[in-house]
Amino acid sequence: MALKITVIGTGYLGATHAAAMAELGFEVLGLDVVPEKIEMLATGRVPMYEPGLEELLRKHVAGIEGSTGRLRFTTSWEEVGEFGDVHFVCVNTPQKHGEYACDMSYVDAAFASLAPRLTRPALVVGKSTVPVGSADRLAALLDERAPGDVELAWNPEFLREGFAVDDTLHPDRIVVGVRSEAAEKLLREVYATPVAEGSPFVVTDFPTAELVKTAANSFLATKISFINAMAEVCEAAGGDVAKLAEAIGHDERIGKKFLRAGVGFGGGCLPKDIRAFMARAGELGADQALTFLREVDSINMRRRGHMVELAREAVGGSSFLGKRVAVLGATFKPDSDDVRDSPALNVAGQIHLQGGQVTVYDPKGMDNARRLFPTLGYADSAPEAVRGADVVLHLTEWREFRDLDPAELGKLVTTPIILDGRNALDPDQWREAGWTYRAMGRPRA
Ligand code: UDX
């Protein structure tokens, strides 16, 4: 009989995982503690912007015409406990308020609610990003509180926002931390399709599985801060960081990806994951091993301040008072509506606080941006945002911004200066249309 799967927590990770499990042929029940989210999902709508997710959901959600009916949603823990052979825990682990450490309260609450309802044999699979050592602790909790024959496994998730569906259906690796052959066998059954398509299946112990995730994100963050450090040196020495990245990227050991210099990384994962990793290493007495991550973090945060300085210079050098600043982009990356720890909004907020009149436009992130920064100015389109601007800041590299016509835009601004914080626009095209184009880590003219 086909496995029955539950997915606990229906954010970016959980909603995508639930839809993907249904696509792989399993009967799936998704749970969230927020009833409004469940109501939305149950009608095939997604509470965030993620390309392809709504289509996949509608293909499987029960009650939608033409769907397979394999995917349902609930707020009932009893139902989840009775239903599942495999329970995936996908709740979020944000940064603790005022601390570097990770807030485990959602994970702990999920395990505490689930455990007593596990009356029949089941495998609980943690997918949330957690501090190393959590799985050992949560396994003990299940031993103590679950009435049935229940085991834990840890299966970190590597999906990227904007590519969540594809990354989940076709993962570049599947990592499972297990304590028994039975748990490994069950997870091989869950992932039989991607494994048959060639996804490597890596079996580890609990701590290694937990560490793989934080190590991967730390490496990616380090790569971005490395190229941003090179951008600082390029600016000082008159070099071009985009050319430098292209040239070193030809070395296969280095690789081309994640070498785009600019305003740096943000989002709900990289910044908080490297901080939580440092905090946990400290608890384990291994803090020296990760002191370099402090530097990675500070190079990254410096980028935002540097962009503010470039903007100040562009509007005359002394103050933003009375100056109009257009900000293109609010999300932390394109193809997402996520504004968590977004460099774009951080820069917009700093300029606003220093007296600038900031107008932001983003293709998908407007609602979330307005909620987070209600005092900033907002426009409904890029041309409207740049109208009358003394400087234009390009801070999230949406395709829509690359497709803008610089000549047309030039007619709307007060001063045609564009600062490319993502090194993603074509400098020649903007300069030919009469703009002063400036990017981070590249020569001025
Ligand atoms: C990341 C990891 O990539 C993913 O594997 C993990 O599961 C979750 O965290 P995500 O947060 O969706 O995914 O975004 P990612 O594509 O990694 O980008 C993170 C940030 O780095 C963005 O703000 C992006 O703009 C920035 N970035 C990325 C750069 O500044 N330069 C680059 O070259 C690449």
Side-chain angles (χ1 to χ4, degrees), residues 158-159 161 213 258-260 265-266 269 332-333 422:
F158 306 102
L159 67 79
E161 289 180 22
K213 173 64 192 256
F258 268 65
L259 282 184
R260 211 168 1 85
F265 58 81
C269 290
F332 84 103
K333 67 189 256 187
R422 290 296 184 181

